[in-house]
Amino acid sequence: MTQAPGTGNETRLAEGDFFYESLGGGRYRSTVHAQGAWNAHEQHMAPATGILAHELERFRPREDLRMARVSLDILGIIHAGEFEVRTSMLRPGRTIELVQAEMVCQGRTAVIARAWRLKTQDSSSVAAAEDHHVAHPESLPPWDGMSPWPGGYIAQLDFRVEPGHRPGRGVVWLRSPHGMVGGVPTPDLVRLLGLVDTANGVAPRVEPGPASWMFPNVDLQIHMHRRPVGEWLGLQAQQTYGTDGIGLTSAVLHDVEGPFGRSEQILTVRPMPTRG
């Protein structure tokens, strides 16, 4: 066990080549690879999304239904260390289901995820998409543009970037070498959903730092018109700040076969707090 770097608290983190250690019965312990960027004692919302997707996928699975939308609301601090995920069926149905996963940290609900699962059928005769393909990640150079961000989650990622990236807009590919749960195979959907929240940091309008601005998201909405595949996630992201302290990060989501969905994150935009 290790202590979260950069903290003076007693948060104990699991060790291993994965984001989470399973403790059984829906309980987990986070590793340093899940560590957040805003505060060292928190989990990053990206792997938190992944572990919730992991539980949603395993809850009463049906081969004829596919997860098409995941809506996540962040209700409080996602504390590092031990937590529990509680799953439930909100709306059963023959062709449509709504399921929920609740992440409980230190006795309080930190994140609620709700997923619509829809019946699948052959629609290839009318299949079409308006979002354009972007360059394949392996044709692009490595990118160190995320180096201003601290935390174990960002540190373990491999990034590639398309030319033309600028503050507020850009195309960034990323992948992680780690599985979601130790000793358990990670499906592609869980692997890639566990990266989506990173969209809020890949093309910020202001560079993060102590004399800059904060823009944490309070939600994450993911819509998927097909099931994603592979280990690379492409984020065709853009970020907008309003004049009254509220912003929005939007992204077209890509895998190596092309666009598969979109994400949205509403932001609270405010100056970094003065320390001392």
Side-chain angles (χ1 to χ4, degrees), residues 22-50:
S22 176
L23 304 178
R27 296 195 60 82
Y28 296 92
R29 182 183 293 114
S30 65
T31 73
V32 70
H33 306 305
Q35 185 187 43
W38 295 113
N39 292 291
H41 61 279
E42 296 177 2
Q43 296 181 49
H44 197 287
M45 182 58 184
T49 300

mmCIF file of all heavy atoms in Angstrom, residues 22-50:
data_model
loop_
_atom_site.group_PDB
_atom_site.id
_atom_site.type_symbol
_atom_site.label_atom_id
_atom_site.label_comp_id
_atom_site.label_asym_id
_atom_site.label_seq_id
_atom_site.Cartn_x
_atom_site.Cartn_y
_atom_site.Cartn_z
ATOM 1 N N SER A 22 -10.249 -4.904 -6.570
ATOM 2 C CA SER A 22 -11.558 -5.363 -6.103
ATOM 3 C C SER A 22 -11.440 -5.935 -4.698
ATOM 4 O O SER A 22 -10.563 -6.761 -4.414
ATOM 5 C CB SER A 22 -12.114 -6.434 -7.047
ATOM 6 O OG SER A 22 -13.333 -6.953 -6.539
ATOM 7 N N LEU A 23 -12.334 -5.485 -3.822
ATOM 8 C CA LEU A 23 -12.410 -5.993 -2.452
ATOM 9 C C LEU A 23 -13.592 -6.932 -2.266
ATOM 10 O O LEU A 23 -13.819 -7.428 -1.173
ATOM 11 C CB LEU A 23 -12.508 -4.818 -1.473
ATOM 12 C CG LEU A 23 -11.383 -3.780 -1.561
ATOM 13 C CD1 LEU A 23 -11.633 -2.644 -0.574
ATOM 14 C CD2 LEU A 23 -10.026 -4.421 -1.317
ATOM 15 N N GLY A 24 -14.363 -7.137 -3.378
ATOM 16 C CA GLY A 24 -15.511 -8.030 -3.335
ATOM 17 C C GLY A 24 -16.791 -7.308 -2.968
ATOM 18 O O GLY A 24 -16.778 -6.300 -2.251
ATOM 19 N N GLY A 25 -17.914 -7.830 -3.454
ATOM 20 C CA GLY A 25 -19.219 -7.285 -3.096
ATOM 21 C C GLY A 25 -19.445 -5.858 -3.550
ATOM 22 O O GLY A 25 -20.158 -5.100 -2.877
ATOM 23 N N GLY A 26 -18.852 -5.457 -4.678
ATOM 24 C CA GLY A 26 -19.017 -4.097 -5.175
ATOM 25 C C GLY A 26 -18.128 -3.074 -4.510
ATOM 26 O O GLY A 26 -18.281 -1.874 -4.748
ATOM 27 N N ARG A 27 -17.157 -3.528 -3.690
ATOM 28 C CA ARG A 27 -16.231 -2.622 -3.024
ATOM 29 C C ARG A 27 -14.880 -2.651 -3.744
ATOM 30 O O ARG A 27 -14.431 -3.691 -4.213
ATOM 31 C CB ARG A 27 -16.048 -2.986 -1.547
ATOM 32 C CG ARG A 27 -17.325 -2.847 -0.725
ATOM 33 C CD ARG A 27 -17.015 -2.855 0.771
ATOM 34 N NE ARG A 27 -16.123 -1.758 1.148
ATOM 35 C CZ ARG A 27 -16.537 -0.506 1.372
ATOM 36 N NH1 ARG A 27 -17.813 -0.196 1.255
ATOM 37 N NH2 ARG A 27 -15.665 0.425 1.721
ATOM 38 N N TYR A 28 -14.239 -1.467 -3.788
ATOM 39 C CA TYR A 28 -12.968 -1.321 -4.495
ATOM 40 C C TYR A 28 -12.027 -0.412 -3.709
ATOM 41 O O TYR A 28 -12.454 0.331 -2.828
ATOM 42 C CB TYR A 28 -13.192 -0.709 -5.885
ATOM 43 C CG TYR A 28 -14.014 -1.571 -6.804
ATOM 44 C CD1 TYR A 28 -15.411 -1.421 -6.877
ATOM 45 C CD2 TYR A 28 -13.419 -2.531 -7.618
ATOM 46 C CE1 TYR A 28 -16.177 -2.208 -7.720
ATOM 47 C CE2 TYR A 28 -14.175 -3.322 -8.462
ATOM 48 C CZ TYR A 28 -15.544 -3.156 -8.508
ATOM 49 O OH TYR A 28 -16.302 -3.942 -9.350
ATOM 50 N N ARG A 29 -10.746 -0.473 -4.081
ATOM 51 C CA ARG A 29 -9.759 0.470 -3.583
ATOM 52 C C ARG A 29 -9.017 1.043 -4.785
ATOM 53 O O ARG A 29 -8.537 0.299 -5.635
ATOM 54 C CB ARG A 29 -8.773 -0.213 -2.622
ATOM 55 C CG ARG A 29 -7.736 0.741 -2.036
ATOM 56 C CD ARG A 29 -6.727 0.026 -1.148
ATOM 57 N NE ARG A 29 -7.343 -0.498 0.067
ATOM 58 C CZ ARG A 29 -7.464 -1.787 0.365
ATOM 59 N NH1 ARG A 29 -7.013 -2.701 -0.482
ATOM 60 N NH2 ARG A 29 -8.019 -2.184 1.490
ATOM 61 N N SER A 30 -8.922 2.372 -4.858
ATOM 62 C CA SER A 30 -8.257 3.006 -5.994
ATOM 63 C C SER A 30 -6.741 2.937 -5.856
ATOM 64 O O SER A 30 -6.199 2.889 -4.749
ATOM 65 C CB SER A 30 -8.698 4.463 -6.119
ATOM 66 O OG SER A 30 -8.285 5.231 -5.005
ATOM 67 N N THR A 31 -6.042 2.925 -6.998
ATOM 68 C CA THR A 31 -4.587 2.998 -7.031
ATOM 69 C C THR A 31 -4.179 4.425 -7.391
ATOM 70 O O THR A 31 -5.013 5.270 -7.725
ATOM 71 C CB THR A 31 -3.992 2.022 -8.062
ATOM 72 O OG1 THR A 31 -4.242 2.522 -9.379
ATOM 73 C CG2 THR A 31 -4.598 0.635 -7.924
ATOM 74 N N VAL A 32 -2.875 4.672 -7.396
ATOM 75 C CA VAL A 32 -2.368 5.999 -7.745
ATOM 76 C C VAL A 32 -2.684 6.340 -9.200
ATOM 77 O O VAL A 32 -2.743 7.512 -9.572
ATOM 78 C CB VAL A 32 -0.856 6.085 -7.467
ATOM 79 C CG1 VAL A 32 -0.069 5.216 -8.456
ATOM 80 C CG2 VAL A 32 -0.364 7.530 -7.501
ATOM 81 N N HIS A 33 -2.917 5.318 -10.030
ATOM 82 C CA HIS A 33 -3.235 5.573 -11.444
ATOM 83 C C HIS A 33 -4.595 6.231 -11.616
ATOM 84 O O HIS A 33 -4.890 6.772 -12.686
ATOM 85 C CB HIS A 33 -3.169 4.275 -12.238
ATOM 86 C CG HIS A 33 -1.865 3.552 -12.091
ATOM 87 N ND1 HIS A 33 -0.653 4.150 -12.352
ATOM 88 C CD2 HIS A 33 -1.584 2.285 -11.683
ATOM 89 C CE1 HIS A 33 0.323 3.276 -12.123
ATOM 90 N NE2 HIS A 33 -0.219 2.151 -11.710
ATOM 91 N N ALA A 34 -5.428 6.203 -10.585
ATOM 92 C CA ALA A 34 -6.745 6.857 -10.626
ATOM 93 C C ALA A 34 -6.724 8.234 -9.969
ATOM 94 O O ALA A 34 -7.767 8.877 -9.843
ATOM 95 C CB ALA A 34 -7.789 5.979 -9.932
ATOM 96 N N GLN A 35 -5.554 8.701 -9.581
ATOM 97 C CA GLN A 35 -5.450 9.953 -8.832
ATOM 98 C C GLN A 35 -5.815 11.162 -9.683
ATOM 99 O O GLN A 35 -5.412 11.277 -10.840
ATOM 100 C CB GLN A 35 -4.029 10.119 -8.307
ATOM 101 C CG GLN A 35 -3.819 11.337 -7.415
ATOM 102 C CD GLN A 35 -2.355 11.520 -7.066
ATOM 103 O OE1 GLN A 35 -1.495 11.391 -7.919
ATOM 104 N NE2 GLN A 35 -2.081 11.802 -5.805
ATOM 105 N N GLY A 36 -6.574 12.100 -9.099
ATOM 106 C CA GLY A 36 -7.075 13.260 -9.810
ATOM 107 C C GLY A 36 -6.034 14.336 -10.051
ATOM 108 O O GLY A 36 -4.924 14.306 -9.507
ATOM 109 N N ALA A 37 -6.434 15.318 -10.885
ATOM 110 C CA ALA A 37 -5.544 16.418 -11.252
ATOM 111 C C ALA A 37 -5.791 17.678 -10.428
ATOM 112 O O ALA A 37 -4.878 18.476 -10.221
ATOM 113 C CB ALA A 37 -5.698 16.740 -12.740
ATOM 114 N N TRP A 38 -7.026 17.879 -9.961
ATOM 115 C CA TRP A 38 -7.320 19.088 -9.182
ATOM 116 C C TRP A 38 -6.835 18.971 -7.757
ATOM 117 O O TRP A 38 -6.355 19.935 -7.166
ATOM 118 C CB TRP A 38 -8.818 19.386 -9.207
ATOM 119 C CG TRP A 38 -9.357 19.724 -10.570
ATOM 120 C CD1 TRP A 38 -10.232 18.980 -11.312
ATOM 121 C CD2 TRP A 38 -9.080 20.894 -11.352
ATOM 122 N NE1 TRP A 38 -10.498 19.607 -12.504
ATOM 123 C CE2 TRP A 38 -9.814 20.784 -12.563
ATOM 124 C CE3 TRP A 38 -8.278 22.015 -11.163
ATOM 125 C CZ2 TRP A 38 -9.769 21.758 -13.560
ATOM 126 C CZ3 TRP A 38 -8.227 22.982 -12.157
ATOM 127 C CH2 TRP A 38 -8.963 22.849 -13.339
ATOM 128 N N ASN A 39 -6.956 17.760 -7.156
ATOM 129 C CA ASN A 39 -6.514 17.527 -5.780
ATOM 130 C C ASN A 39 -5.921 16.126 -5.680
ATOM 131 O O ASN A 39 -6.494 15.168 -6.206
ATOM 132 C CB ASN A 39 -7.678 17.650 -4.789
ATOM 133 C CG ASN A 39 -8.199 19.071 -4.681
ATOM 134 O OD1 ASN A 39 -7.525 19.952 -4.167
ATOM 135 N ND2 ASN A 39 -9.406 19.299 -5.189
ATOM 136 N N ALA A 40 -4.793 16.000 -4.991
ATOM 137 C CA ALA A 40 -4.078 14.730 -4.919
ATOM 138 C C ALA A 40 -4.827 13.670 -4.131
ATOM 139 O O ALA A 40 -4.595 12.474 -4.325
ATOM 140 C CB ALA A 40 -2.693 14.945 -4.300
ATOM 141 N N HIS A 41 -5.749 14.064 -3.239
ATOM 142 C CA HIS A 41 -6.468 13.101 -2.406
ATOM 143 C C HIS A 41 -7.779 12.645 -3.049
ATOM 144 O O HIS A 41 -8.554 11.915 -2.426
ATOM 145 C CB HIS A 41 -6.763 13.694 -1.032
ATOM 146 C CG HIS A 41 -7.618 14.934 -1.074
ATOM 147 N ND1 HIS A 41 -7.086 16.186 -1.352
ATOM 148 C CD2 HIS A 41 -8.946 15.116 -0.892
ATOM 149 C CE1 HIS A 41 -8.064 17.076 -1.323
ATOM 150 N NE2 HIS A 41 -9.197 16.455 -1.045
ATOM 151 N N GLU A 42 -8.022 13.051 -4.282
ATOM 152 C CA GLU A 42 -9.245 12.676 -4.990
ATOM 153 C C GLU A 42 -8.931 11.714 -6.132
ATOM 154 O O GLU A 42 -7.803 11.627 -6.617
ATOM 155 C CB GLU A 42 -9.926 13.914 -5.583
ATOM 156 C CG GLU A 42 -10.404 14.918 -4.567
ATOM 157 C CD GLU A 42 -10.997 16.149 -5.234
ATOM 158 O OE1 GLU A 42 -11.071 16.196 -6.479
ATOM 159 O OE2 GLU A 42 -11.364 17.069 -4.498
ATOM 160 N N GLN A 43 -9.973 11.023 -6.586
ATOM 161 C CA GLN A 43 -9.890 10.250 -7.816
ATOM 162 C C GLN A 43 -10.230 11.150 -9.002
ATOM 163 O O GLN A 43 -11.027 12.085 -8.886
ATOM 164 C CB GLN A 43 -10.869 9.086 -7.799
ATOM 165 C CG GLN A 43 -10.616 8.043 -6.743
ATOM 166 C CD GLN A 43 -11.631 6.922 -6.826
ATOM 167 O OE1 GLN A 43 -11.901 6.367 -7.890
ATOM 168 N NE2 GLN A 43 -12.208 6.566 -5.687
ATOM 169 N N HIS A 44 -9.624 10.844 -10.143
ATOM 170 C CA HIS A 44 -9.993 11.517 -11.389
ATOM 171 C C HIS A 44 -11.331 10.964 -11.863
ATOM 172 O O HIS A 44 -11.628 9.778 -11.708
ATOM 173 C CB HIS A 44 -8.907 11.272 -12.446
ATOM 174 C CG HIS A 44 -8.960 12.214 -13.602
ATOM 175 N ND1 HIS A 44 -9.939 12.141 -14.569
ATOM 176 C CD2 HIS A 44 -8.155 13.250 -13.950
ATOM 177 C CE1 HIS A 44 -9.722 13.088 -15.471
ATOM 178 N NE2 HIS A 44 -8.660 13.783 -15.114
ATOM 179 N N MET A 45 -12.160 11.824 -12.440
ATOM 180 C CA MET A 45 -13.475 11.396 -12.891
ATOM 181 C C MET A 45 -13.403 10.397 -14.051
ATOM 182 O O MET A 45 -14.331 9.613 -14.246
ATOM 183 C CB MET A 45 -14.298 12.626 -13.309
ATOM 184 C CG MET A 45 -15.710 12.329 -13.758
ATOM 185 S SD MET A 45 -16.703 11.476 -12.501
ATOM 186 C CE MET A 45 -18.214 11.200 -13.439
ATOM 187 N N ALA A 46 -12.291 10.397 -14.803
ATOM 188 C CA ALA A 46 -12.191 9.469 -15.939
ATOM 189 C C ALA A 46 -12.203 8.010 -15.477
ATOM 190 O O ALA A 46 -13.090 7.236 -15.888
ATOM 191 C CB ALA A 46 -10.959 9.789 -16.778
ATOM 192 N N PRO A 47 -11.270 7.549 -14.631
ATOM 193 C CA PRO A 47 -11.360 6.168 -14.166
ATOM 194 C C PRO A 47 -12.594 5.900 -13.303
ATOM 195 O O PRO A 47 -13.109 4.774 -13.295
ATOM 196 C CB PRO A 47 -10.061 5.960 -13.388
ATOM 197 C CG PRO A 47 -9.566 7.314 -13.058
ATOM 198 C CD PRO A 47 -10.031 8.198 -14.160
ATOM 199 N N ALA A 48 -13.076 6.930 -12.587
ATOM 200 C CA ALA A 48 -14.329 6.742 -11.841
ATOM 201 C C ALA A 48 -15.467 6.387 -12.798
ATOM 202 O O ALA A 48 -16.308 5.529 -12.502
ATOM 203 C CB ALA A 48 -14.661 7.997 -11.046
ATOM 204 N N THR A 49 -15.494 7.039 -13.963
ATOM 205 C CA THR A 49 -16.482 6.682 -14.992
ATOM 206 C C THR A 49 -16.276 5.246 -15.437
ATOM 207 O O THR A 49 -17.233 4.494 -15.634
ATOM 208 C CB THR A 49 -16.351 7.630 -16.190
ATOM 209 O OG1 THR A 49 -16.592 8.972 -15.763
ATOM 210 C CG2 THR A 49 -17.348 7.261 -17.284
ATOM 211 N N GLY A 50 -15.008 4.854 -15.595
ATOM 212 C CA GLY A 50 -14.714 3.499 -16.037
ATOM 213 C C GLY A 50 -15.187 2.431 -15.069
ATOM 214 O O GLY A 50 -15.763 1.420 -15.486
#
